[in-house]
Amino acid sequence: MNVWKLTAANTMQKEAVEPVPEEGKRKIRITKVFVNRSDALLFSGAKKVRYPRIPGRFAVGLIADEGSTHFPKGARVLVHTAFPAPTDGVEKRDYTEDDILLRGYTADGFLRDFIYVTEDELSLLPESVSDEKALLIQHIALANAAVEKLGLHRGEHVAVIGGSMLGIFICRLLIYRQISPILIDNDAKRIEFAKSCGIYYTAPEDETLLEKVGVITGGRLTDNAVCIMTGNMETHCKTAVSVTKPGRSVAFCGQIDHPLPIDLNAILKKRLTLSGVSVGTEHIPAAINLVANGAIDLGVYRKNVRGADGAEALFKEFLSMASIPVDEINILSLV
């Protein structure tokens, strides 16, 4: 099989290797991989990783072995990004290590022809959900996890700081639940796209923010906030704390690879509850249903599809851009 792997910063190699069967695991033929700026930052070395590392965090594929009752041969599946770190249950666990690994980051990813995974790491895809839509399901699942974490009620206002794809999905899920999101971002193109998705309330992340939030909420702060871990994260964290009512909650959503300062003084004064949401695996079934039933319209995204051999060129394109178009999904096809 072919494997595309990073061997050092800015160095990618394609190798032909024989897949090694693993007992108790299904053999999956990877068909499509969704890549984004995070993959490009791994390629450049800006995000630290142990080399060699196979990139690719989101993938769909086909059951390539004889299958099982639940996962028959040829079935289309979503392969989960997050999975429990292996342990034999005997050796003393090193609690400084991650207990959940992420494909394409802390574990080898999907940019290869075949992978062996347990059935717990697979979700069957209904016919109504195309491969392209399925590649976004884990973003929707993570967004759903963040929304659930806050325990929201209809009619509340929620600040969503960061207009990335994840931030926009969170806003759309909030609207679906009859909750009013306020998307906070300084990128005009992201704001424009958000408005085209039906996100009515937006505000810039600047000195006018609290005044504009007050106009939207009737002179109050937001009931809760979700802070997306992307872009200028230090500013995002401060913003999330500043716009939230005393006694309410802030969820920090995503993954980061370095420490961030948190103003505990402001958090204590406002008696805020903080929570972290970094994986949404348990919400994948709900996300599949949302997509299958049309509750989340994914037709707004343009698709840029190229062969897996074009991965390195795509990563370099990402790195040359000031910002990645938020209305585009970039897919590497392996078939």
Side-chain angles (χ1 to χ4, degrees):
M1 70 171 180
N2 292 315
V3 175
W4 292 261
K5 63 173 62 174
L6 304 176
T7 56
N10 297 299
T11 305
M12 175 173 278
Q13 293 182 358
K14 178 182 178 180
E15 298 180 1
V17 300
E18 284 297 319
V20 180
E22 298 183 47
E23 186 177 354
K25 294 187 177 183
R26 299 268 68 86
K27 182 181 182 182
I28 309 300
R29 173 65 163 106
I30 299 297
T31 55
K32 292 183 177 68
V33 176
F34 167 43
V35 294
N36 54 28
R37 189 173 177 83
S38 291
D39 298 287
L41 293 175
L42 254 67
F43 169 77
S44 71
K47 288 179 78 73
K48 302 305 179 184
V49 66
R50 293 180 180 178
Y51 298 112
R53 176 69 77 224
I54 301 172
R57 200 172 297 186
F58 307 98
V60 293
L62 303 171
I63 302 293
D65 57 19
E66 292 307 311
S68 65
T69 302
H70 297 294
F71 294 96
K73 184 175 183 179
R76 283 193 316 130
V77 291
L78 174 70
V79 195
H80 300 174
T81 295
F83 66 102
T87 176
D88 58 12
V90 177
E91 292 186 11
K92 184 177 179 180
R93 181 154 182 79
D94 181 353
Y95 290 102
T96 64
E97 296 180 350
D98 295 336
D99 61 338
I100 297 292
L101 300 180
L102 301 175
R103 298 284 182 191
Y105 183 28
T106 53
D108 280 334
F110 297 119
L111 203 55
R112 45 179 150 174
D113 289 334
F114 295 96
I115 189 172
Y116 284 88
V117 298
T118 66
E119 292 190 355
D120 289 339
E121 299 171 58
L122 300 172
S123 293
L124 284 173
L125 292 171
E127 291 184 8
S128 60
V129 176
S130 66
D131 287 351
E132 292 75 16
K133 291 179 179 180
L135 289 169
L136 301 181
I137 281 173
Q138 293 187 87
H139 280 72
I140 298 172
L142 183 58
N144 201 45
V147 171
E148 289 284 347
K149 181 71 75 172
L150 293 174
L152 304 169
H153 299 91
R154 289 182 182 180
E156 291 187 329
H157 288 92
V158 177
V160 179
I161 300 95
S164 64
M165 178 180 286
L166 179 58
I168 289 175
F169 278 143
I170 290 173
C171 289
R172 295 173 76 180
L173 285 173
L174 290 169
I175 293 169
Y176 179 71
R177 295 180 178 217
Q178 299 180 31
I179 297 164
S180 298
I182 303 172
L183 183 66
I184 299 170
D185 198 286
N186 284 329
D187 189 312
K189 290 183 178 179
R190 287 185 171 190
I191 293 298
E192 182 181 355
F193 178 67
K195 289 180 176 179
S196 74
C197 294
I199 301 168
Y200 184 76
Y201 296 121
T202 63
E205 195 173 16
D206 59 20
E207 65 278 359
T208 68
L209 175 60
L210 291 181
E211 179 183 349
K212 292 191 175 182
V213 167
V215 171
I216 294 169
T217 61
R220 301 180 298 273
L221 295 174
T222 61
D223 295 288
N224 296 280
V226 180
C227 182
I228 310 302
M229 294 289 94
T230 185
N232 189 349
M233 289 179 282
E234 291 189 17
T235 300
H236 287 350
C237 291
K238 293 177 182 177
T239 297
V241 171
S242 70
V243 300
T244 306
K245 285 180 182 178
R248 302 307 294 263
S249 300
V250 177
F252 297 90
C253 187
Q255 293 97 23
I256 56 175
D257 59 358
H258 61 278
L260 285 175
I262 297 291
D263 186 354
L264 285 178
N265 184 46
I267 292 165
L268 289 168
K269 281 185 175 181
K270 295 181 96 174
R271 308 176 308 284
L272 298 177
T273 299
L274 308 186
S275 58
V277 185
S278 58
V279 295
T281 305
E282 67 275 17
H283 293 269
I284 287 176
I288 291 175
N289 285 334
L290 287 167
V291 174
N293 296 328
I296 299 292
D297 177 20
L298 300 180
V300 296
Y301 292 97
R302 296 180 288 114
K303 292 176 278 292
N304 175 23
V305 183
R306 64 182 76 187
D309 286 332
E312 182 172 348
L314 182 58
F315 295 158
K316 290 178 178 178
E317 287 177 25
F318 284 157
L319 295 168
S320 69
M321 297 178 185
S323 63
I324 305 298
V326 74
D327 63 343
E328 183 177 85
I329 56 175
N330 290 275
I331 300 169
L332 298 175
S333 178
L334 280 73
V335 293

